């Protein structure tokens, strides 16, 4: 970890000194434990603020859409796939970017760690695949691999797919992962049970739209939920409106979502709204063999036509 | 939609050309029959006004 962050800082200083980029998007330490915050580094001497550990779960590609000038960005596997998606969707040009690739071994699920302790978690230190959690009157060392966010434990693209420079050696990709076990569980329920499942899932939603704001795919100038002429969705807390927001947002991400987990991570009430996007991800994979963002040069299935596209649903 | 809990059959897709009037009629009849069997929709209906 320390070698990686030192290398990142070195690269960042280099590209800023040579004026190859105007700014670098990375992470710095947040004000509370396990919450690193995105930051924009504009001069070489600010590079020391940068951090890299298992709390960098926010997707930095979110800060790229429609940005002008030359930009450096630190990208783990999922970020790089979202950068590729941005390039496909003309939200940024490849030649504007200097991508510092960082192989990723997963981000820790801070909610799970907080739930394990009664007191406030004040500090989390990492070394060699273990995390030490410290509070006012407790300290415990845990295996990092058992504390990963669910999407990270199922991730099969840990290494960046596009980059200009790598900050560390690639890591081994996880093999034989059943990415869609949770989706299959829901599929096995009958229609009424599924309705109830999602009803319960979304019950705590306060519609703060944090999931949308953290999502790199949600860059529409006016989101359909904010539109008032016409007003597509009611703005109330009514379960129908809440559900309409979530499933429509998921549809907008069909064939684009990389399951980076930013939405779930930022949710203040801890809803796993990824079950919506994952179903669409699974369908895209099964029907079109598509995984989003693996290359900036391949058009996604929803904007290409092939005569053998599945069409059994049309009568 | 069905994954989310809408009853199978309530949502249907069809492609009918403007020249295919007979197909249009048969699709409408077929869909109406299926929906009538399913009965009134009780999901995705705002039943009460919730005040926070």
């Amino acid at each position: 970890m320390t070698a990686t962050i030192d290398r990142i800082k070195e690269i960042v200083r280099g590209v800023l000194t040579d004026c190859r980029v105007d700014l670098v998007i990375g992470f710095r330490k947040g004000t509370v434990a396990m919450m690193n915050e995105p930051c924009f580094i504009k001069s070489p001497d600010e590079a020391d603020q940068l951090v890299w550990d298992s709390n960098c779960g926010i997707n930095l590609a979110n800060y790229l859409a429609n940005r002008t000038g030359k930009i450096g960005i630190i990208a783990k596997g999922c970020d790089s796939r979202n950068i590729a998606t941005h390039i496909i969707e003309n939200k940024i040009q490849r030649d504007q970017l200097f991508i510092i690739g960082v192989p990723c071994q997963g981000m820790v699920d801070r909610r799970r760690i907080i739930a394990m302790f009664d007191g406030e978690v004040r500090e989390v230190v990492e070394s060699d695949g273990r995390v030490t959690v410290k509070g006012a009157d407790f300290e415990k060392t845990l295996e990092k691999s058992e504390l990963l966010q669910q999407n990270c434990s199922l991730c099969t693209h840990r290494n960046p797919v596009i980059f200009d420079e790598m900050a560390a050696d690639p890591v081994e990709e996880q093999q034989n992962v059943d990415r869609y076990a949770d989706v299959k569980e829901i599929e096995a329920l009958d229609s009424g049970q599924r309705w109830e499942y999602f009803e319960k899932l979304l019950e705590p939603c306060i519609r703060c739209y944090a999931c949308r704001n953290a999502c790199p795919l949600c860059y529409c100038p006016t989101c359909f939920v904010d539109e008032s002429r016409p007003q597509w969705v009611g703005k109330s807390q009514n379960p129908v409106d809440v559900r309409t927001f979530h499933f429509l947002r998921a549809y907008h991400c069909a064939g684009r979502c990389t399951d980076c987990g930013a939405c779930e991570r930022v949710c203040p009430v801890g809803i796993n709204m990824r079950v919506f996007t994952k179903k669409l991800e699974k369908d895209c994979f099964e029907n079109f063999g598509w995984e989003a963002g693996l290359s900036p040069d391949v058009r996604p299935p929803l904007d290409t036509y092939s005569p053998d596209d599945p069409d059994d649903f049309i009568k | 939609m069905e994954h989310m809990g809408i009853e199978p059959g309530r949502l249907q897709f069809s492609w009918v050309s403007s020249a295919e009037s007979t197909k249009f009629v048969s699709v409408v009849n077929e869909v109406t029959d299926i929906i009538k069997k399913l009965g009134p929709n009780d999901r995705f209906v705002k039943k009460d006004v919730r005040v926070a």
Side-chain angles (χ1 to χ4, degrees):
Chain A
M1 266 322 159
T2 36
T4 310
I5 184 61
D6 289 345
R7 183 77 192 111
I8 293 174
K9 286 177 186 170
E10 197 182 311
I11 299 170
V12 170
R13 269 188 223 109
V15 288
L16 283 167
T17 314
D18 303 345
C19 295
R20 288 175 70 183
V21 298
D22 307 327
L23 58 91
V24 175
I25 309 176
F27 283 98
R28 69 177 168 210
K29 201 153 179 51
T31 44
V32 281
M34 297 183 284
M35 297 267 256
N36 288 343
E37 57 187 25
C39 67
F40 289 47
I41 302 293
K42 290 184 175 158
S43 74
D45 42 311
E46 287 170 1
D48 275 330
Q49 292 178 18
L50 290 169
V51 292
W52 189 262
D53 56 24
S54 300
N55 306 302
C56 299
I58 296 295
N59 195 324
L60 294 180
N62 194 21
Y63 301 95
L64 284 182
N66 298 333
R67 199 170 277 282
T68 51
K70 296 278 243 173
I71 308 146
I73 182 164
I74 298 171
K76 49 191 182 296
C78 46
D79 298 27
S80 75
R81 290 173 64 194
N82 277 106
I83 294 170
T85 307
H86 271 331
I87 296 169
I88 291 175
E89 294 172 359
N90 270 330
K91 284 285 122 187
I92 197 93
Q93 304 300 318
R94 178 68 182 93
D95 55 13
Q96 275 179 275
L97 296 172
F98 185 89
I99 305 168
I100 303 163
V102 187
C104 170
Q105 290 191 303
M107 297 295 152
V108 294
D109 186 341
R110 70 167 202 285
R111 284 195 197 92
R112 203 132 42 102
I113 295 181
I114 290 168
M116 285 163 79
F117 301 95
D118 292 330
E120 184 196 1
V121 174
R122 294 197 176 158
E123 203 188 348
V124 175
V125 194
E126 275 175 59
S127 62
D128 300 327
R130 311 186 103 200
V131 286
T132 307
V133 185
K134 291 179 194 166
D137 50 3
F138 59 87
E139 184 171 330
K140 198 172 175 191
T141 303
L142 304 152
E143 285 297 324
K144 179 188 153 185
S145 55
E146 289 163 16
L147 295 168
L148 294 183
Q149 289 182 182
Q150 193 226 12
N151 64 312
C152 295
S153 63
L154 300 174
C155 177
T156 51
H157 296 283
R158 293 181 147 184
N159 295 302
V161 292
I162 43 168
F163 56 85
D164 292 293
E165 195 158 344
M166 284 287 268
D169 294 329
V171 292
E172 204 181 317
E173 296 288 2
Q174 303 193 100
Q175 305 291 333
N176 305 322
V177 184
D178 183 6
R179 283 192 48 72
Y180 304 116
D182 49 350
V183 183
K184 286 179 198 150
E185 252 170 57
I186 302 171
E187 282 171 348
L189 303 173
D190 73 30
S191 171
Q193 287 170 322
R194 284 203 293 261
W195 181 263
E196 285 306 316
Y197 175 88
F198 287 110
E199 207 71 344
K200 217 169 145 225
L201 175 82
L202 299 177
E203 230 239 305
C205 179
I206 54 170
R207 284 184 79 180
C208 63
Y209 302 140
C211 45
R212 175 199 68 185
N213 293 351
C215 180
L217 304 172
C218 284
Y219 54 63
C220 291
T222 308
C223 176
F224 72 98
V225 292
D226 295 330
E227 193 91 66
S228 53
R229 275 189 204 175
Q231 187 175 317
W232 308 107
V233 197
K235 293 175 192 292
S236 72
Q237 287 289 104
N238 187 294
V240 173
D241 292 334
V242 173
R243 187 184 284 239
T244 309
F245 160 60
H246 279 284
F247 94 88
L248 263 182
R249 195 187 82 82
Y251 265 118
H252 289 178
C253 302
R256 307 162 68 218
C257 176
T258 58
D259 201 28
C260 70
C263 47
E264 186 187 1
R265 186 183 173 86
V266 299
C267 179
V269 289
I271 296 171
N272 177 14
M273 66 290 281
R274 285 174 36 250
V275 290
F276 286 100
T277 42
K278 270 189 92 178
K279 164 67 179 164
L280 291 160
E281 199 197 307
K282 175 171 178 276
D283 286 354
C284 264
F285 185 66
E286 285 173 357
N287 291 323
F288 306 102
W290 172 258
E291 286 183 278
L294 294 188
S295 157
D297 309 314
V298 187
R299 298 304 303 178
L302 286 181
D303 82 349
T304 42
Y305 170 72
S306 146
D308 49 342
D309 282 344
D311 58 359
D312 315 334
F313 64 95
I314 299 176
K315 286 203 176 150
Chain B
M1 291 288 277
E2 281 177 9
H3 178 70
M4 212 173 62
I6 295 293
E7 302 100 318
R10 199 174 287 283
L11 180 70
Q12 306 211 13
F13 294 87
S14 187
W15 178 268
V16 188
S17 150
S18 58
E20 296 175 308
S21 57
T22 44
K23 186 178 173 192
F24 180 75
V25 171
S26 69
V27 167
V28 170
N29 284 332
E30 207 179 305
V31 172
T32 330
D33 286 346
I34 295 171
I35 302 290
K36 274 188 178 153
K37 268 184 213 137
L38 281 171
N41 183 22
D42 61 346
R43 295 172 193 168
F44 256 107
V45 179
K46 288 186 185 176
K47 286 167 203 148
D48 51 349
V49 180
R50 263 219 290 194
V51 184

mmCIF file of all heavy atoms in Angstrom, chain A residues 186-187 189-199 243 247 251 276 279, chain B residues 1-11 38 41-44:
data_model
loop_
_atom_site.group_PDB
_atom_site.id
_atom_site.type_symbol
_atom_site.label_atom_id
_atom_site.label_comp_id
_atom_site.label_asym_id
_atom_site.label_seq_id
_atom_site.Cartn_x
_atom_site.Cartn_y
_atom_site.Cartn_z
ATOM 1 N N ILE A 186 -33.497 -13.686 -6.078
ATOM 2 C CA ILE A 186 -34.726 -12.901 -6.259
ATOM 3 C C ILE A 186 -35.547 -13.482 -7.406
ATOM 4 O O ILE A 186 -36.774 -13.576 -7.325
ATOM 5 C CB ILE A 186 -34.391 -11.424 -6.536
ATOM 6 C CG1 ILE A 186 -33.573 -10.852 -5.391
ATOM 7 C CG2 ILE A 186 -35.656 -10.608 -6.748
ATOM 8 C CD1 ILE A 186 -33.005 -9.478 -5.648
ATOM 9 N N GLU A 187 -34.857 -13.911 -8.470
ATOM 10 C CA GLU A 187 -35.577 -14.474 -9.617
ATOM 11 C C GLU A 187 -36.373 -15.714 -9.222
ATOM 12 O O GLU A 187 -37.405 -16.013 -9.806
ATOM 13 C CB GLU A 187 -34.591 -14.825 -10.736
ATOM 14 C CG GLU A 187 -34.138 -13.606 -11.510
ATOM 15 C CD GLU A 187 -32.996 -13.912 -12.471
ATOM 16 O OE1 GLU A 187 -32.402 -15.006 -12.383
ATOM 17 O OE2 GLU A 187 -32.700 -13.030 -13.303
ATOM 18 N N LEU A 189 -38.016 -16.200 -6.563
ATOM 19 C CA LEU A 189 -39.250 -15.886 -5.843
ATOM 20 C C LEU A 189 -40.406 -15.753 -6.833
ATOM 21 O O LEU A 189 -40.193 -15.489 -8.013
ATOM 22 C CB LEU A 189 -39.103 -14.561 -5.080
ATOM 23 C CG LEU A 189 -37.955 -14.453 -4.068
ATOM 24 C CD1 LEU A 189 -37.862 -13.036 -3.552
ATOM 25 C CD2 LEU A 189 -38.161 -15.427 -2.928
ATOM 26 N N ASP A 190 -41.657 -15.895 -6.339
ATOM 27 C CA ASP A 190 -42.762 -15.650 -7.266
ATOM 28 C C ASP A 190 -43.068 -14.156 -7.303
ATOM 29 O O ASP A 190 -42.514 -13.367 -6.548
ATOM 30 C CB ASP A 190 -43.985 -16.521 -6.926
ATOM 31 C CG ASP A 190 -44.711 -16.059 -5.683
ATOM 32 O OD1 ASP A 190 -44.687 -14.848 -5.395
ATOM 33 O OD2 ASP A 190 -45.295 -16.909 -4.984
ATOM 34 N N SER A 191 -43.960 -13.801 -8.226
ATOM 35 C CA SER A 191 -44.190 -12.391 -8.518
ATOM 36 C C SER A 191 -44.568 -11.571 -7.274
ATOM 37 O O SER A 191 -44.024 -10.482 -7.042
ATOM 38 C CB SER A 191 -45.282 -12.313 -9.576
ATOM 39 O OG SER A 191 -45.688 -11.015 -9.767
ATOM 40 N N GLY A 192 -45.469 -12.114 -6.466
ATOM 41 C CA GLY A 192 -45.908 -11.395 -5.275
ATOM 42 C C GLY A 192 -44.785 -11.215 -4.268
ATOM 43 O O GLY A 192 -44.613 -10.150 -3.668
ATOM 44 N N GLN A 193 -43.987 -12.271 -4.096
ATOM 45 C CA GLN A 193 -42.856 -12.195 -3.164
ATOM 46 C C GLN A 193 -41.829 -11.168 -3.629
ATOM 47 O O GLN A 193 -41.243 -10.464 -2.825
ATOM 48 C CB GLN A 193 -42.172 -13.560 -3.048
ATOM 49 C CG GLN A 193 -42.979 -14.577 -2.271
ATOM 50 C CD GLN A 193 -42.365 -15.964 -2.387
ATOM 51 O OE1 GLN A 193 -41.867 -16.343 -3.452
ATOM 52 N NE2 GLN A 193 -42.395 -16.701 -1.301
ATOM 53 N N ARG A 194 -41.655 -11.119 -4.952
ATOM 54 C CA ARG A 194 -40.697 -10.148 -5.481
ATOM 55 C C ARG A 194 -41.181 -8.725 -5.208
ATOM 56 O O ARG A 194 -40.405 -7.851 -4.837
ATOM 57 C CB ARG A 194 -40.500 -10.351 -6.983
ATOM 58 C CG ARG A 194 -39.646 -11.538 -7.314
ATOM 59 C CD ARG A 194 -39.023 -11.376 -8.676
ATOM 60 N NE ARG A 194 -40.015 -11.404 -9.735
ATOM 61 C CZ ARG A 194 -40.293 -12.471 -10.463
ATOM 62 N NH1 ARG A 194 -39.650 -13.580 -10.270
ATOM 63 N NH2 ARG A 194 -41.199 -12.419 -11.401
ATOM 64 N N TRP A 195 -42.467 -8.527 -5.421
ATOM 65 C CA TRP A 195 -43.031 -7.201 -5.143
ATOM 66 C C TRP A 195 -42.756 -6.813 -3.688
ATOM 67 O O TRP A 195 -42.280 -5.714 -3.407
ATOM 68 C CB TRP A 195 -44.531 -7.199 -5.438
ATOM 69 C CG TRP A 195 -45.138 -5.856 -5.188
ATOM 70 C CD1 TRP A 195 -45.778 -5.441 -4.075
ATOM 71 C CD2 TRP A 195 -45.096 -4.731 -6.071
ATOM 72 N NE1 TRP A 195 -46.146 -4.132 -4.199
ATOM 73 C CE2 TRP A 195 -45.750 -3.665 -5.407
ATOM 74 C CE3 TRP A 195 -44.570 -4.519 -7.350
ATOM 75 C CZ2 TRP A 195 -45.892 -2.414 -5.982
ATOM 76 C CZ3 TRP A 195 -44.716 -3.263 -7.917
ATOM 77 C CH2 TRP A 195 -45.366 -2.237 -7.248
ATOM 78 N N GLU A 196 -43.029 -7.751 -2.793
ATOM 79 C CA GLU A 196 -42.818 -7.505 -1.370
ATOM 80 C C GLU A 196 -41.344 -7.256 -1.058
ATOM 81 O O GLU A 196 -40.997 -6.395 -0.259
ATOM 82 C CB GLU A 196 -43.314 -8.708 -0.537
ATOM 83 C CG GLU A 196 -44.819 -8.786 -0.416
ATOM 84 C CD GLU A 196 -45.432 -7.489 0.108
ATOM 85 O OE1 GLU A 196 -44.868 -6.928 1.058
ATOM 86 O OE2 GLU A 196 -46.454 -7.039 -0.452
ATOM 87 N N TYR A 197 -40.481 -8.046 -1.705
ATOM 88 C CA TYR A 197 -39.038 -7.916 -1.480
ATOM 89 C C TYR A 197 -38.582 -6.487 -1.755
ATOM 90 O O TYR A 197 -37.894 -5.867 -0.945
ATOM 91 C CB TYR A 197 -38.280 -8.904 -2.376
ATOM 92 C CG TYR A 197 -36.778 -8.753 -2.310
ATOM 93 C CD1 TYR A 197 -36.037 -9.429 -1.349
ATOM 94 C CD2 TYR A 197 -36.113 -7.911 -3.199
ATOM 95 C CE1 TYR A 197 -34.667 -9.272 -1.267
ATOM 96 C CE2 TYR A 197 -34.739 -7.742 -3.127
ATOM 97 C CZ TYR A 197 -34.019 -8.422 -2.165
ATOM 98 O OH TYR A 197 -32.664 -8.249 -2.091
ATOM 99 N N PHE A 198 -38.981 -5.962 -2.906
ATOM 100 C CA PHE A 198 -38.533 -4.608 -3.265
ATOM 101 C C PHE A 198 -39.240 -3.551 -2.426
ATOM 102 O O PHE A 198 -38.675 -2.500 -2.123
ATOM 103 C CB PHE A 198 -38.748 -4.352 -4.760
ATOM 104 C CG PHE A 198 -37.776 -5.108 -5.618
ATOM 105 C CD1 PHE A 198 -38.193 -6.172 -6.393
ATOM 106 C CD2 PHE A 198 -36.435 -4.773 -5.618
ATOM 107 C CE1 PHE A 198 -37.289 -6.886 -7.165
ATOM 108 C CE2 PHE A 198 -35.526 -5.481 -6.389
ATOM 109 C CZ PHE A 198 -35.958 -6.539 -7.164
ATOM 110 N N GLU A 199 -40.488 -3.849 -2.050
ATOM 111 C CA GLU A 199 -41.224 -2.933 -1.192
ATOM 112 C C GLU A 199 -40.459 -2.742 0.126
ATOM 113 O O GLU A 199 -40.287 -1.639 0.612
ATOM 114 C CB GLU A 199 -42.608 -3.565 -0.935
ATOM 115 C CG GLU A 199 -43.728 -2.617 -0.634
ATOM 116 C CD GLU A 199 -44.202 -1.772 -1.802
ATOM 117 O OE1 GLU A 199 -43.494 -1.666 -2.828
ATOM 118 O OE2 GLU A 199 -45.268 -1.175 -1.670
ATOM 119 N N ARG A 243 -40.228 3.788 -5.738
ATOM 120 C CA ARG A 243 -39.884 2.657 -6.588
ATOM 121 C C ARG A 243 -39.661 3.097 -8.035
ATOM 122 O O ARG A 243 -38.735 2.639 -8.702
ATOM 123 C CB ARG A 243 -40.982 1.604 -6.530
ATOM 124 C CG ARG A 243 -40.602 0.345 -7.256
ATOM 125 C CD ARG A 243 -41.739 -0.613 -7.248
ATOM 126 N NE ARG A 243 -41.898 -1.267 -5.959
ATOM 127 C CZ ARG A 243 -41.837 -2.594 -5.814
ATOM 128 N NH1 ARG A 243 -41.597 -3.360 -6.835
ATOM 129 N NH2 ARG A 243 -42.023 -3.132 -4.636
ATOM 130 N N PHE A 247 -36.244 2.145 -10.032
ATOM 131 C CA PHE A 247 -36.134 1.225 -11.165
ATOM 132 C C PHE A 247 -35.870 1.963 -12.465
ATOM 133 O O PHE A 247 -35.171 1.486 -13.343
ATOM 134 C CB PHE A 247 -37.335 0.254 -11.219
ATOM 135 C CG PHE A 247 -38.482 0.676 -12.080
ATOM 136 C CD1 PHE A 247 -38.492 0.352 -13.425
ATOM 137 C CD2 PHE A 247 -39.557 1.355 -11.544
ATOM 138 C CE1 PHE A 247 -39.559 0.719 -14.217
ATOM 139 C CE2 PHE A 247 -40.624 1.724 -12.329
ATOM 140 C CZ PHE A 247 -40.621 1.415 -13.674
ATOM 141 N N TYR A 251 -32.790 1.447 -15.064
ATOM 142 C CA TYR A 251 -32.926 1.288 -16.516
ATOM 143 C C TYR A 251 -31.984 2.210 -17.278
ATOM 144 O O TYR A 251 -31.423 1.845 -18.302
ATOM 145 C CB TYR A 251 -34.371 1.561 -16.954
ATOM 146 C CG TYR A 251 -35.193 0.291 -17.054
ATOM 147 C CD1 TYR A 251 -36.316 0.090 -16.263
ATOM 148 C CD2 TYR A 251 -34.826 -0.709 -17.940
ATOM 149 C CE1 TYR A 251 -37.046 -1.075 -16.335
ATOM 150 C CE2 TYR A 251 -35.547 -1.876 -18.024
ATOM 151 C CZ TYR A 251 -36.662 -2.054 -17.222
ATOM 152 O OH TYR A 251 -37.369 -3.206 -17.298
ATOM 153 N N PHE A 276 -31.126 -3.775 -8.383
ATOM 154 C CA PHE A 276 -31.797 -3.357 -9.623
ATOM 155 C C PHE A 276 -30.813 -3.356 -10.790
ATOM 156 O O PHE A 276 -31.053 -3.965 -11.828
ATOM 157 C CB PHE A 276 -32.355 -1.929 -9.485
ATOM 158 C CG PHE A 276 -33.583 -1.819 -8.636
ATOM 159 C CD1 PHE A 276 -33.508 -1.391 -7.324
ATOM 160 C CD2 PHE A 276 -34.830 -2.118 -9.165
ATOM 161 C CE1 PHE A 276 -34.638 -1.271 -6.547
ATOM 162 C CE2 PHE A 276 -35.969 -1.994 -8.389
ATOM 163 C CZ PHE A 276 -35.876 -1.569 -7.077
ATOM 164 N N LYS A 279 -29.523 -6.837 -11.919
ATOM 165 C CA LYS A 279 -30.415 -7.642 -12.752
ATOM 166 C C LYS A 279 -30.213 -7.265 -14.224
ATOM 167 O O LYS A 279 -30.103 -8.131 -15.097
ATOM 168 C CB LYS A 279 -31.870 -7.398 -12.323
ATOM 169 C CG LYS A 279 -32.926 -7.855 -13.313
ATOM 170 C CD LYS A 279 -32.982 -9.360 -13.464
ATOM 171 C CE LYS A 279 -34.076 -9.749 -14.450
ATOM 172 N NZ LYS A 279 -33.935 -11.135 -14.921
ATOM 173 N N MET B 1 -39.491 -5.187 -15.382
ATOM 174 C CA MET B 1 -40.713 -4.888 -14.638
ATOM 175 C C MET B 1 -41.219 -6.144 -13.933
ATOM 176 O O MET B 1 -41.623 -6.093 -12.780
ATOM 177 C CB MET B 1 -41.814 -4.382 -15.598
ATOM 178 C CG MET B 1 -41.535 -3.036 -16.188
ATOM 179 S SD MET B 1 -41.706 -1.661 -15.024
ATOM 180 C CE MET B 1 -43.457 -1.357 -15.066
ATOM 181 N N GLU B 2 -41.191 -7.264 -14.671
ATOM 182 C CA GLU B 2 -41.660 -8.503 -14.041
ATOM 183 C C GLU B 2 -40.717 -8.924 -12.917
ATOM 184 O O GLU B 2 -41.154 -9.453 -11.905
ATOM 185 C CB GLU B 2 -41.793 -9.614 -15.092
ATOM 186 C CG GLU B 2 -43.066 -9.456 -15.891
ATOM 187 C CD GLU B 2 -43.217 -10.480 -16.998
ATOM 188 O OE1 GLU B 2 -42.417 -11.423 -17.056
ATOM 189 O OE2 GLU B 2 -44.136 -10.302 -17.811
ATOM 190 N N HIS B 3 -39.453 -8.652 -13.111
ATOM 191 C CA HIS B 3 -38.475 -8.977 -12.079
ATOM 192 C C HIS B 3 -38.818 -8.237 -10.796
ATOM 193 O O HIS B 3 -38.617 -8.713 -9.695
ATOM 194 C CB HIS B 3 -37.082 -8.582 -12.555
ATOM 195 C CG HIS B 3 -36.005 -8.838 -11.548
ATOM 196 N ND1 HIS B 3 -35.611 -10.094 -11.218
ATOM 197 C CD2 HIS B 3 -35.259 -7.999 -10.784
ATOM 198 C CE1 HIS B 3 -34.664 -10.029 -10.301
ATOM 199 N NE2 HIS B 3 -34.437 -8.763 -10.015
ATOM 200 N N MET B 4 -39.362 -7.040 -10.960
ATOM 201 C CA MET B 4 -39.643 -6.189 -9.819
ATOM 202 C C MET B 4 -40.951 -6.571 -9.129
ATOM 203 O O MET B 4 -41.266 -6.057 -8.074
ATOM 204 C CB MET B 4 -39.749 -4.778 -10.340
ATOM 205 C CG MET B 4 -39.311 -3.738 -9.391
ATOM 206 S SD MET B 4 -39.310 -2.203 -10.265
ATOM 207 C CE MET B 4 -41.003 -2.043 -10.702
ATOM 208 N N GLY B 5 -41.739 -7.413 -9.765
ATOM 209 C CA GLY B 5 -42.944 -7.866 -9.108
ATOM 210 C C GLY B 5 -44.242 -7.506 -9.804
ATOM 211 O O GLY B 5 -45.314 -7.665 -9.236
ATOM 212 N N ILE B 6 -44.164 -7.002 -11.041
ATOM 213 C CA ILE B 6 -45.384 -6.813 -11.829
ATOM 214 C C ILE B 6 -45.803 -8.196 -12.326
ATOM 215 O O ILE B 6 -44.962 -8.975 -12.756
ATOM 216 C CB ILE B 6 -45.104 -5.873 -13.022
ATOM 217 C CG1 ILE B 6 -44.753 -4.471 -12.534
ATOM 218 C CG2 ILE B 6 -46.259 -5.834 -13.995
ATOM 219 C CD1 ILE B 6 -45.880 -3.738 -11.856
ATOM 220 N N GLU B 7 -47.106 -8.519 -12.265
ATOM 221 C CA GLU B 7 -47.535 -9.862 -12.645
ATOM 222 C C GLU B 7 -47.140 -10.158 -14.091
ATOM 223 O O GLU B 7 -47.279 -9.294 -14.954
ATOM 224 C CB GLU B 7 -49.061 -10.017 -12.554
ATOM 225 C CG GLU B 7 -49.647 -9.747 -11.208
ATOM 226 C CD GLU B 7 -50.242 -8.351 -11.134
ATOM 227 O OE1 GLU B 7 -49.591 -7.410 -11.650
ATOM 228 O OE2 GLU B 7 -51.339 -8.223 -10.582
ATOM 229 N N PRO B 8 -46.696 -11.395 -14.340
ATOM 230 C CA PRO B 8 -46.350 -11.765 -15.716
ATOM 231 C C PRO B 8 -47.586 -11.578 -16.587
ATOM 232 O O PRO B 8 -48.682 -11.976 -16.206
ATOM 233 C CB PRO B 8 -45.969 -13.247 -15.612
ATOM 234 C CG PRO B 8 -45.686 -13.488 -14.171
ATOM 235 C CD PRO B 8 -46.483 -12.484 -13.393
ATOM 236 N N GLY B 9 -47.426 -10.961 -17.735
ATOM 237 C CA GLY B 9 -48.558 -10.774 -18.640
ATOM 238 C C GLY B 9 -49.143 -9.381 -18.613
ATOM 239 O O GLY B 9 -49.776 -8.945 -19.559
ATOM 240 N N ARG B 10 -48.900 -8.643 -17.521
ATOM 241 C CA ARG B 10 -49.474 -7.301 -17.464
ATOM 242 C C ARG B 10 -48.744 -6.333 -18.388
ATOM 243 O O ARG B 10 -49.319 -5.376 -18.893
ATOM 244 C CB ARG B 10 -49.476 -6.767 -16.032
ATOM 245 C CG ARG B 10 -50.469 -5.619 -15.868
ATOM 246 C CD ARG B 10 -50.614 -5.146 -14.460
ATOM 247 N NE ARG B 10 -51.330 -6.008 -13.549
ATOM 248 C CZ ARG B 10 -52.656 -6.125 -13.523
ATOM 249 N NH1 ARG B 10 -53.415 -5.466 -14.353
ATOM 250 N NH2 ARG B 10 -53.235 -6.921 -12.652
ATOM 251 N N LEU B 11 -47.492 -6.614 -18.591
ATOM 252 C CA LEU B 11 -46.709 -5.777 -19.496
ATOM 253 C C LEU B 11 -46.431 -6.579 -20.768
ATOM 254 O O LEU B 11 -45.902 -7.678 -20.705
ATOM 255 C CB LEU B 11 -45.386 -5.391 -18.822
ATOM 256 C CG LEU B 11 -44.451 -4.521 -19.643
ATOM 257 C CD1 LEU B 11 -45.012 -3.120 -19.797
ATOM 258 C CD2 LEU B 11 -43.082 -4.460 -19.007
ATOM 259 N N LEU B 38 -56.266 -11.256 -15.263
ATOM 260 C CA LEU B 38 -55.419 -10.836 -14.140
ATOM 261 C C LEU B 38 -56.189 -9.958 -13.153
ATOM 262 O O LEU B 38 -55.849 -9.872 -11.984
ATOM 263 C CB LEU B 38 -54.206 -10.053 -14.651
ATOM 264 C CG LEU B 38 -53.047 -10.862 -15.234
ATOM 265 C CD1 LEU B 38 -52.033 -9.932 -15.877
ATOM 266 C CD2 LEU B 38 -52.373 -11.708 -14.169
ATOM 267 N N ASN B 41 -55.215 -3.930 -11.425
ATOM 268 C CA ASN B 41 -53.849 -3.833 -10.925
ATOM 269 C C ASN B 41 -53.849 -3.253 -9.514
ATOM 270 O O ASN B 41 -54.458 -2.231 -9.257
ATOM 271 C CB ASN B 41 -53.050 -2.905 -11.853
ATOM 272 C CG ASN B 41 -51.616 -2.810 -11.451
ATOM 273 O OD1 ASN B 41 -51.097 -3.699 -10.776
ATOM 274 N ND2 ASN B 41 -50.951 -1.749 -11.866
ATOM 275 N N ASP B 42 -53.187 -3.924 -8.592
ATOM 276 C CA ASP B 42 -53.099 -3.334 -7.256
ATOM 277 C C ASP B 42 -51.671 -2.956 -6.897
ATOM 278 O O ASP B 42 -51.397 -2.440 -5.833
ATOM 279 C CB ASP B 42 -53.697 -4.273 -6.201
ATOM 280 C CG ASP B 42 -52.947 -5.588 -6.149
ATOM 281 O OD1 ASP B 42 -52.168 -5.858 -7.093
ATOM 282 O OD2 ASP B 42 -53.136 -6.352 -5.186
ATOM 283 N N ARG B 43 -50.741 -3.227 -7.835
ATOM 284 C CA ARG B 43 -49.369 -2.786 -7.601
ATOM 285 C C ARG B 43 -49.139 -1.530 -8.433
ATOM 286 O O ARG B 43 -49.748 -1.367 -9.472
ATOM 287 C CB ARG B 43 -48.395 -3.888 -8.023
ATOM 288 C CG ARG B 43 -48.575 -5.096 -7.135
ATOM 289 C CD ARG B 43 -47.804 -6.277 -7.610
ATOM 290 N NE ARG B 43 -48.282 -7.454 -6.899
ATOM 291 C CZ ARG B 43 -47.981 -8.692 -7.221
ATOM 292 N NH1 ARG B 43 -47.206 -8.938 -8.249
ATOM 293 N NH2 ARG B 43 -48.458 -9.691 -6.529
ATOM 294 N N PHE B 44 -48.240 -0.707 -7.979
ATOM 295 C CA PHE B 44 -47.983 0.554 -8.665
ATOM 296 C C PHE B 44 -49.200 1.465 -8.658
ATOM 297 O O PHE B 44 -49.455 2.205 -9.596
ATOM 298 C CB PHE B 44 -47.518 0.330 -10.105
ATOM 299 C CG PHE B 44 -46.052 0.548 -10.238
ATOM 300 C CD1 PHE B 44 -45.195 -0.522 -10.411
ATOM 301 C CD2 PHE B 44 -45.512 1.816 -10.134
ATOM 302 C CE1 PHE B 44 -43.836 -0.327 -10.475
ATOM 303 C CE2 PHE B 44 -44.159 2.016 -10.203
ATOM 304 C CZ PHE B 44 -43.310 0.952 -10.366
#
